[in-house]
Amino acid sequence: MIRSVVKGCGGYLPARIVTNEELAKKVDTSDEWIQQRTGIKQRHIAAEGEFTSHLAIKASERALEHAGIDATDLDLIVLATATPDETFPATATRVQAALGMRNGAAFDVQAVCAGFIYALSVADSLLKSGTASKALVVGAETFSRILDWHDRSTCVLFGDGAGAMVLAAEEGTGASADRGVLANALHSDGRHHDILYVDGGPSSTRTTGFLRMEGREVFKHAVVNMAAVVGEVLDKTGLTSKDIDWLVPHQANKRIIDGTGRKLGLAADRIVLTVDKHANTSAASIPLALDTAVKDGRIKRDDLLLLEGIGGGLAWGASLVRW
Ligand code: ACO
């Protein structure tokens, strides 16, 4: 049986850190409000001239180095972003050129905060089908460029960053057959467009637009859908929540993450939390959280990881990965 086995990961955050206190000087908010409602203390913001592809390239280089794999050996890049450098071509092709990858294909997927789960699932399918043999999966965003910095209900929630993962198709035998991506579950429900969207785009307004969100509505859907999709992905494998070593969730709001953890019966120290330092980096948040916990030694080989996320669309999903 062919499995998509994880070979390495990497992350990159822009140098500039913006604290809640700094934001409170620009919009009518406070550190207390932001921390109480979301758990966020700070976020990283890309510099002028620093694009999504630049963040993605740095995270990818680190992931390849961690994996010990040369870019010329890759034959697939799937990059999740809702903030591409340009309307076209795919930001993934910029990453491809910068890394020096010449084989196979590089393309973007767009599922906002669920983007990394979607990208991982697509790469996993292409590896398992034999279409590709070594894949780079990237989540990269510069949400600071689509925020209305006068809207306190949204601008305090997001940050910029990128995370990447290298996967290789391996014929598993014995215990090794149980490593890699074990299962994915993807969902979307386009009826909920109006609670989370960007009010612009090349076909409608010819502008980029700004993020608009009815936070409370998104919150309700997040709690319900996360519980359901987590159960679904576990059912696919016959594993239970007791088997999970680490929950690596999309980092939108600590309260949503705590709720999912409680439903799974997971102790707080089994949940990777980076929302305090990174805020919501959309498609980058899961691979950034993963990279944080791998590099600080919490996540170890053979640990069972549950990745999950929800975002605009609404689109949501979960993956079970044996590290
Ligand atoms: N500072 C101070 N007060 C604020 C701020 C702020 N930054 N923002 C809003 N408020 C005020 C509101 O005006 C409101 O005041 P009022 O009661 O006088 O009208 C009050 O705070 C409460 O506002 P709510 O929006 O009801 O606050 P809530 O408790 O729902 O928290 C939040 C808002 C943090 C956005 C929460 O709803 C949330 O996290 N939602 C989920 C977001 C999410 O998960 N997104 C994931 C996907 S993101 C993507 O896909 C791109």
Side-chain angles (χ1 to χ4, degrees):
M1 177 184 205
I2 295 178
R3 280 254 193 254
S4 308
V5 174
V6 184
K7 304 309 255 182
C9 60
Y12 180 78
L13 291 155
R16 180 157 181 249
I17 293 173
V18 176
T19 62
N20 291 346
E21 286 86 355
E22 194 178 335
L23 270 186
K25 289 181 192 146
K26 292 179 185 150
V27 285
D28 183 14
T29 189
S30 66
D31 176 49
E32 192 194 0
W33 191 95
I34 301 171
Q35 282 210 48
Q36 255 180 19
R37 305 279 173 143
T38 69
I40 296 167
K41 295 179 183 159
Q42 61 173 49
R43 71 284 295 138
H44 291 248
I45 300 293
E48 196 68 39
E50 191 174 34
F51 303 158
T52 294
S53 65
H54 300 138
L55 310 185
I57 291 161
K58 288 197 169 115
S60 300
E61 286 169 347
R62 290 177 181 178
L64 286 165
E65 193 185 337
H66 186 231
I69 285 176
D70 200 273
T72 53
D73 292 329
L74 293 173
D75 50 11
L76 178 68
I77 299 177
V78 187
L79 185 146
T81 190
T83 47
D85 288 14
E86 298 160 317
T87 302
F88 81 80
T91 299
T93 58
R94 290 215 161 215
V95 176
Q96 176 186 26
L99 294 179
M101 171 201 163
R102 297 286 175 267
N103 302 318
F107 59 92
D108 291 357
V109 299
Q110 215 274 51
V112 203
C113 299
F116 189 77
I117 302 290
Y118 272 61
L120 181 62
S121 182
V122 169
D124 180 39
S125 300
L126 293 173
L127 289 169
K128 281 188 179 139
S129 69
T131 307
S133 63
K134 285 192 178 61
L136 177 69
V137 183
V138 191
E141 304 276 17
T142 46
F143 257 52
S144 60
R145 306 269 151 76
I146 54 164
L147 294 176
D148 175 352
W149 287 99
H150 301 290
D151 176 10
R152 67 175 182 173
S153 69
T154 53
C155 77
V156 304
L157 302 173
F158 296 91
D160 301 333
M165 186 192 264
V166 179
L167 297 161
E170 286 183 5
E171 194 79 45
T173 50
S176 67
D178 191 32
R179 290 186 62 229
V181 181
L182 306 185
N184 303 296
L186 302 180
H187 292 278
S188 63
D189 187 342
R191 291 174 300 172
H192 303 299
H193 166 276
D194 291 355
I195 64 172
L196 183 49
Y197 65 103
V198 169
D199 61 0
S203 174
S204 55
T205 61
R206 297 192 209 170
T207 62
T208 309
F210 292 118
L211 182 146
R212 305 294 175 204
M213 179 166 79
E214 288 176 36
R216 195 163 281 195
E217 285 305 308
V218 176
F219 193 101
K220 282 189 224 157
H221 286 283
V223 171
V224 174
N225 291 337
M226 285 304 97
V229 79
V230 156
E232 183 185 343
V233 82
L234 281 169
D235 286 348
K236 283 188 180 194
T237 57
L239 294 164
T240 73
S241 57
K242 291 193 176 59
D243 298 308
I244 298 167
D245 293 300
W246 296 101
L247 173 64
V248 190
H250 170 51
Q251 310 281 325
N253 185 312
K254 186 174 181 303
R255 289 185 291 152
I256 299 173
I257 295 171
D258 289 345
T260 307
R262 270 196 302 277
K263 286 221 164 72
L264 286 166
L266 277 181
D269 63 0
R270 297 278 106 191
I271 301 171
V272 181
L273 207 67
T274 50
V275 70
D276 55 337
K277 295 198 175 69
H278 303 169
N280 181 348
T281 56
S282 184
S285 93
I286 293 172
L288 271 171
L290 187 66
D291 184 57
T292 303
V294 168
K295 302 291 162 66
D296 69 20
R298 276 180 287 170
I299 292 177
K300 296 192 172 58
R301 190 183 161 102
D302 291 331
D303 280 355
L304 183 68
L305 318 181
L306 176 61
L307 320 181
E308 47 87 344
I310 182 165
L314 293 175
W316 66 100
S319 298
L320 264 181
V321 178
R322 177 87 61 195
W323 196 252

